[in-house]
């Protein structure tokens, strides 16, 4: 696709900054360079120039780089102006560049959208670029880099190629059943491979929860009776006074959340209202929210004051939990209590730091076990899972539809291959463009 207009935007970070990068892409990029930088520059060579308006007044001085198409990110001619990162400098540069005929300000994700339309990236790689821009932890970065390099796309395209080949073999058997070079057992081999593919897709889809944890975070919820030390632990993990701590029951009435980077993994910790019978009306709302949040957690930290133990009550079924004894510093040599007859999984004191490192290590271990190997190929979006499930449904219809005839079974294979093509953007994806590219910042 060759665009008729050019787009320009600030592609670097928040201003002010030491250096700002302004990017322009499209057929007018070379003319803009010649006008603003005084003459054309060599392809892929950073050149120092004074930047001027069309009337000759100086804008700034800095580096300009030309990336000639089609060997550029967008597949078009791209120019980058590296200028001083002051707000006034950047504003004037953008005003000047957008003032050229045929040049306009870019929309969110428009550079990446042009890269997709020009065949430089597919949709899965596009989504991975968005994840890379937004990555906050090492696990997120590694996951995004792997997908941006095309590993996930190659898996889906590999399945699609197998289905196209399978369909071709079935149709060849239909059309040339009397020919000697078409073996009669070809259908048996095809359906055996399709069954294997169904199993591969099922295993792949099961990895989506691990991908969600990498991208969105491992959800840890702190539960316990009033004054069990929940907010004190929350503040200790946050390393700031994020929650109010008092001896009065019911101080915490809403959900408070802090995000931790624990050994490269994103951990979301939520403090909740104290669980008790006969709370006040407002406090009851907080308790209901606490129980609802606990039901969707990846791990519960169930706290009990070891000096004055009060059980937290019934816990959500099926949610892993750690039983944590708190305020160990107050025991003064007394025997440690137990929670409902079960020894504590961890014993801590937020006052002197006892057990906090061990508790964090256990949380990290639980999160790592949920994620598995970050290098595993995982479906990174819900839309991938939905299309993969549709693919599996068509494949199951094909392999179990012997009574329907080979023609209809071949059509099921076509529909399955079509769904795989939709994941990477090979077929009929225009309706998803606005949703996917809107997640990018303006200069990407």
């Amino acid at each position: 696709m060759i665009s008729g207009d050019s787009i320009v935007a600030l592609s670097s970070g928040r201003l002010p900054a030491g250096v700002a990068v302004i990017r322009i892409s499209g057929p007018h990029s070379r003319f803009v360079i010649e006008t603003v930088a005084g003459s054309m520059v060599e392809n892929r060579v950073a050149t120092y120039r004074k930047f001027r308006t069309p009337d000759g007044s100086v804008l700034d001085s800095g580096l300009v780089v030309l990336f000639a198409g089609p060997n550029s990110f967008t597949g078009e001619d791209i120019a980058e102006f590296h200028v001083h990162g002051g707000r006034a400098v950047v504003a004037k540069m953008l005003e000047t560049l957008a003032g050229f005929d045929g040049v306009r300000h870019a929309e969110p994700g428009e550079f990446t959208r042009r890269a997709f339309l020009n065949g430089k990236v597919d949709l899965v790689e596009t989504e991975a670029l968005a994840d890379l821009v937004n990555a906050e932890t090492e696990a997120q970065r590694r996951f995004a880099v792997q997908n941006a390099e095309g590993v996930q796309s190659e898996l889906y395209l590999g399945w699609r190629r197998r289905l196209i080949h399978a369909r071709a073999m079935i149709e060849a058997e239909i059309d040339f059943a009397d020919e000697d070079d078409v073996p009669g057992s070809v259908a048996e081999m095809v359906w055996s491979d399709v069954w294997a593919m169904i199993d591969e897709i099922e295993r792949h889809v099961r990895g989506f929860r691990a991908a969600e944890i990498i991208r969105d975070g491992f959800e840890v919820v702190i539960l316990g009776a009033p004054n069990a030390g929940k907010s004190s632990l929350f503040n200790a993990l946050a390393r700031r006074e994020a929650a109010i701590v008092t001896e009065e029951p019911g101080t915490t009435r809403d959900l408070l959340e802090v995000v931790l980077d624990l050994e490269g993994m994103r951990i979301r910790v939520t403090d909740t209202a104290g669980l008790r019978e006969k709370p006040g009306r407002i406090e009851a709302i907080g308790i209901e929210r606490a129980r609802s949040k606990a039901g969707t957690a990846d791990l519960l930290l169930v706290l009990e004051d070891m000096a004055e133990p009060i059980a937290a009550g019934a816990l959500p079924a099926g949610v892993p939990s750690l039983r944590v004894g708190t305020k160990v510093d107050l025991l003064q040599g007394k025997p440690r209590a137990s929670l409902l007859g079960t020894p504590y999984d961890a014993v801590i004191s937020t006052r002197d730091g006892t057990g906090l490192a061990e508790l964090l290590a256990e949380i990290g271990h639980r999160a790592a076990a949920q994620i598995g190997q970050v290098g595993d190929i995982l479906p990174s979006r819900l839309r991938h899972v939905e299309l993969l499930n549709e693919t599996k449904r068509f494949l199951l219809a094909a392999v179990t539809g012997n009574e329907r005839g080979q023609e209809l079974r071949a059509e099921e294979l076509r529909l399955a291959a079509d769904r795989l093509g939709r994941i990477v953007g090979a077929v009929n994806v225009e309706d998803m463009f606005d949703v996917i590219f809107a997640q990018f910042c303006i200069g990407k």
Side-chain angles (χ1 to χ4, degrees), residues 23-43:
R23 176 188 287 175
I24 180 172
S25 177
H28 303 87
S29 299
R30 291 173 182 262
F31 176 74
V32 170
I33 290 177
E34 291 178 345
T35 305
V36 174
S39 63
M40 183 48 59
V41 297
E42 188 177 348
N43 184 37

Side-chain angles (χ1 to χ4, degrees), residues 7-12 19-25 28-39 41 47 49-52 59-67 78-85 89-90 93-94 96-97 100:
I7 54 175
V8 62
L10 172 67
S11 293
S12 53
V19 175
V21 178
I22 296 173
R23 176 188 287 175
I24 180 172
S25 177
H28 303 87
S29 299
R30 291 173 182 262
F31 176 74
V32 170
I33 290 177
E34 291 178 345
T35 305
V36 174
S39 63
V41 297
T47 306
R49 293 288 176 85
K50 283 189 180 297
F51 304 136
R52 300 177 182 273
L59 286 165
D60 193 16
S61 58
L63 299 177
V64 58
V65 189
L66 170 68
F67 299 94
I78 288 183
E80 286 186 356
F81 296 92
H82 297 224
V83 300
H84 293 93
V89 173
V90 171
M93 282 290 296
L94 289 172
T96 299
L97 298 180
F100 285 86

Side-chain angles (χ1 to χ4, degrees), residues 83-161:
V83 300
H84 293 93
R87 291 188 176 90
V89 173
V90 171
K92 189 61 179 178
M93 282 290 296
L94 289 172
E95 177 188 331
T96 299
L97 298 180
F100 285 86
D101 289 340
V103 180
R104 60 175 175 79
H105 292 287
E107 298 176 358
E110 193 166 4
F111 286 92
T112 306
R113 184 168 185 156
R114 291 192 178 198
F116 169 76
L117 293 175
N118 288 322
K120 308 301 289 187
V121 293
D122 62 34
L123 279 188
V124 174
E125 292 166 341
T126 294
E127 291 165 328
L129 288 175
D131 288 342
L132 191 57
V133 170
N134 295 319
E136 296 177 338
T137 68
E138 176 61 14
Q140 290 174 334
R141 184 196 66 80
R142 288 161 55 194
F143 184 56
V145 165
Q146 176 181 253
N147 291 336
E149 291 179 343
V151 176
Q152 189 181 358
S153 296
E154 183 53 37
L155 175 65
Y156 301 149
L157 290 172
W159 284 334
R160 186 168 184 256
R161 285 192 294 268

Side-chain angles (χ1 to χ4, degrees), residues 406-418:
Q406 297 288 60
E407 293 88 350
L408 292 178
R409 298 174 80 186
E411 174 63 10
E412 300 287 1
L413 295 181
R414 185 193 70 79
L415 293 172
D418 173 83

Side-chain angles (χ1 to χ4, degrees), residues 132-384:
L132 191 57
V133 170
N134 295 319
E136 296 177 338
T137 68
E138 176 61 14
Q140 290 174 334
R141 184 196 66 80
R142 288 161 55 194
F143 184 56
V145 165
Q146 176 181 253
N147 291 336
E149 291 179 343
V151 176
Q152 189 181 358
S153 296
E154 183 53 37
L155 175 65
Y156 301 149
L157 290 172
W159 284 334
R160 186 168 184 256
R161 285 192 294 268
R162 285 165 62 183
L163 288 181
I164 291 172
H165 178 264
R167 182 185 171 203
M169 291 298 97
I170 294 297
E171 292 181 347
E173 187 173 84
I174 295 171
D175 295 337
F176 306 105
D178 298 332
E179 301 293 333
D180 294 337
D181 57 350
V182 180
S185 61
V186 66
E188 181 179 342
M189 293 185 293
V190 165
W191 299 126
S192 177
D193 185 53
V194 172
W195 273 116
M197 194 181 306
I198 290 172
D199 184 60
E200 293 169 22
I201 291 173
E202 287 178 342
R203 291 200 307 270
H204 179 67
V205 168
R206 284 197 294 269
F208 180 57
R209 181 56 193 144
E212 282 187 308
I213 292 174
I214 292 173
R215 295 181 67 247
D216 301 329
F218 184 75
E219 190 81 47
V220 178
V221 174
I222 303 174
L223 292 178
N227 294 330
K230 300 182 301 301
S231 295
S232 295
L233 175 60
F234 181 77
N235 288 339
L237 296 178
R239 297 184 179 181
R240 60 186 175 87
E241 294 299 317
I244 299 173
V245 178
T246 73
E247 295 182 358
E248 180 181 344
T251 301
T252 302
R253 298 188 176 189
D254 208 344
L255 303 179
L256 301 177
E257 182 178 284
V258 66
V259 177
L260 309 179
D261 184 342
L262 189 57
E263 297 182 359
M265 297 174 290
R266 191 172 195 257
I267 311 293
R268 299 204 329 254
V269 181
T270 303
D271 185 22
T272 63
L275 305 180
R276 63 170 174 167
E277 299 294 331
K278 299 180 180 179
R281 185 170 61 88
I282 302 299
E283 189 181 352
I285 296 174
I287 291 175
E288 179 58 31
R289 290 180 179 177
R291 295 193 183 279
S292 175
K293 186 71 173 178
T296 62
D298 296 303
L299 178 65
L300 300 178
L301 300 183
V302 184
L303 273 56
E304 183 178 295
D305 182 348
M306 298 177 67
E308 299 180 12
I310 301 175
L315 301 178
V319 180
S321 63
L322 287 175
R323 298 175 181 271
V324 181
T326 64
K327 307 181 184 180
V328 66
D329 55 290
L330 299 181
L331 291 184
Q332 299 176 347
K334 297 178 182 178
R336 293 175 178 174
S338 63
L339 181 58
L340 302 180
T342 303
Y344 295 119
D345 298 304
V347 174
I348 66 169
S349 168
T350 57
R351 178 167 296 180
D352 60 20
T354 299
L356 291 180
E358 292 79 5
L359 178 60
L360 279 171
E362 181 60 23
I363 293 172
H365 174 74
R366 297 290 184 104
Q370 286 278 342
I371 292 173
Q373 297 296 322
V374 178
D376 293 344
I377 304 176
L378 307 172
S380 56
R381 288 291 193 282
L382 180 59
R383 77 171 189 91
H384 303 171

